[in-house]
Amino acid sequence: MNEQEPAILQERLYALSQTISCQPGLATKFISSVTGELREICQSVNEKERKFLYEHRQLAMEREQVQTQLRENQRLLSNALAERDRACRDRDDSIRELAEQKLQRQSLERSREVEKTLKQLNIELQETVRIQEQQLAGKRSVWLENHPSSGARRSAQKPRDPFTTPSGNHDQGRRLRRSSGDVSSVRNLHAQFQQMQLNERPPASADGEGNLLSALIPMKVMSYSICSDNGSVDGSVTPPDQSSMAIIPFKSEDQVADEFVDGIGKCWNLVESWARSYANFPNEVAVDQCISENRELWQQMLSLTYPNPQDAHNHVMLLLRDQGSRCFFVMRMIVHYICNSMWDLSDWEGHDFRTTRKIQSAAKRLKIKGLNPPERAEAVAMQTSAVQSIVSDDDFLAYRAHRLSQHTKELRGLLGPLLNKNVARADAGRDIGGMTVHAFDLSVRMHTSGWSFQFIFPECASKFGSTSMICRDSSITDTPLDLQIRQARLKLVITPVVTMRDDRGLSIRVKQLHCANVLTMG
């Protein structure tokens, strides 16, 4: 019903009532009756209108409530769906984690079983070798008793001096000969001995693991050497060819890490020894000459401290004038060059076009942030194969000599202005060459190991951290934890924090090799 219809109806009834009242000739009673009816009709219409408006408002309120409830239910449903998705993701992550843990446990159990089997097999092999050596010694003694005139018996009775030549009635050019009967008897003994080894070989396990292990661990078997009829027959025992017994040992993660810890530590020791020997005394004249004539070198020195040139200038001058910190600053310059030039992957570019493109592609991919482990492992494998191809190339020695010459020249230009007065420059240059050789060979090992290495120099004036830093200032007696608690600031970072990471496998393995050597303020 339209809201204006009741008002229109009332107006029409009112007009009708007025019309009837104004009509002449109608009875007054009739007029009153009709007017009353019209009034009742108006009241009824008004009552229905009020009732209708009330019900309309009620319905509108109910509709608003229903819509509000629907919106709330929709929000709750969205939250429930989001919670369900998160729960599903957590469930999937938990399932993957449990599967990885199960695989790791199974791998650990298999490795323990294999280790136990290897230990047991090693014990059995050692016992077998001991028994065979005893049998061999017994057979040898029996053979010597049956051949008293043999050279082997005379050698056993009187040991020969390895530093003297044979003398006496024997001619140096005479060759020992034996009859065909003696040769055949020795061959028969050799065949019997081999048959005995086949009969006494330990049986393989039922699961087939014994065959694999016995193939991996060669038995140390002694054999007789038998020559042809026109040669000599030697009854001595000759060991097997070592090349046929060579086994490349598997190196665990800790063993590889220890090797690089030792190699990098030796490099730091060489650098510190050079700095203490040839650049430990202040030389203000040389520093002033460097500032005025070698601005590029001076800018490199400033970049090792603060980003502000004025603060960096004052700080570098303070470090170079102090005898206690000068050698450490020189050491930082050398270490910075080694880490950012010699040990950087870009140092291997330029050997040939193919390897250079592989190295550049690998370096570009490794710089991408958020790279997942399989892609990063692929990039590390690419750089490893590129460097390995350079190392295995025929002209690697010439390439190595060229790179060593370049790095030695760069270090001499870098360190020449910082040498002590009246120093033996030839000795300093020779020791720089020794540092360069060690650093370059260590770079070869790093980039062909399949691991990636990170060298992080903490910022100067940052806070000391006891877990990643070592204070080298002899005047400070505080423990590393005390330095961290009092928030000591760094005056100089000498060596970086060195970490080694392996992106192969299901998870990334990171191992810290060296802490940063630092000097602190106050």
Side-chain angles (χ1 to χ4, degrees), residues 20-133:
I20 294 174
S21 298
C22 296
Q23 288 291 332
L26 295 177
T28 304
K29 187 176 180 180
F30 176 77
I31 293 173
S32 299
S33 176
V34 171
T35 303
E37 287 292 332
L38 292 175
R39 218 173 8 253
E40 288 178 1
I41 292 172
C42 287
Q43 291 176 356
S44 176
V45 169
N46 291 335
E47 183 67 23
K48 289 182 179 180
E49 179 185 6
R50 285 193 298 271
K51 184 177 180 181
F52 172 77
L53 293 176
Y54 176 76
E55 292 177 353
H56 178 71
R57 285 194 296 269
Q58 288 294 114
L59 288 175
M61 292 175 61
E62 290 178 359
R63 184 187 66 181
E64 185 67 24
Q65 291 178 356
V66 170
Q67 289 179 351
T68 303
Q69 189 174 3
L70 286 175
R71 287 194 293 269
E72 182 66 18
N73 291 336
Q74 184 178 5
R75 185 183 63 81
L76 294 176
L77 179 61
S78 300
N79 294 337
L81 292 175
E83 290 291 336
R84 184 200 64 181
D85 295 339
R86 282 196 294 270
C88 291
R89 288 194 297 269
D90 294 341
R91 180 201 61 191
D92 296 338
D93 294 339
S94 300
I95 291 175
R96 284 194 296 269
E97 186 176 356
L98 289 175
E100 292 176 0
Q101 293 178 357
K102 183 178 179 181
L103 289 176
Q104 291 177 356
R105 285 197 302 269
Q106 291 177 353
S107 177
L108 182 61
E109 292 175 357
R110 286 196 298 268
S111 63
R112 288 176 178 174
E113 292 177 357
V114 172
E115 182 180 2
K116 183 178 179 181
T117 306
L118 285 173
K119 288 181 179 179
Q120 183 64 28
L121 182 60
N122 190 24
I123 295 174
E124 295 176 357
L125 291 176
Q126 289 178 352
E127 181 66 20
T128 302
V129 170
R130 186 183 63 82
I131 295 174
Q132 290 179 354
E133 286 180 349

Side-chain angles (χ1 to χ4, degrees), residues 241-265:
D241 185 9
Q242 296 296 328
S243 62
S244 63
M245 297 178 61
I247 295 180
I248 299 177
F250 171 78
K251 294 183 179 180
S252 65
E253 177 183 348
D254 293 334
Q255 290 175 328
V256 175
D258 291 341
E259 291 181 2
F260 284 109
V261 167
D262 296 339
I264 297 174

Side-chain angles (χ1 to χ4, degrees), residues 158-167 172:
K158 184 177 181 180
R160 180 178 299 173
D161 187 359
F163 295 98
T164 60
T165 57
S167 61
Q172 294 183 2

Side-chain angles (χ1 to χ4, degrees), residues 405-420:
S405 176
Q406 286 183 335
H407 288 304
T408 304
K409 183 179 179 180
E410 290 288 337
L411 284 173
R412 286 177 178 175
L414 185 71
L415 303 174
L418 300 175
L419 291 174
N420 296 333

Side-chain angles (χ1 to χ4, degrees), residues 262-276:
D262 296 339
I264 297 174
K266 182 179 179 181
C267 185
W268 295 170
N269 292 334
L270 290 173
V271 172
E272 183 175 359
S273 176
W274 189 95
R276 291 186 180 276

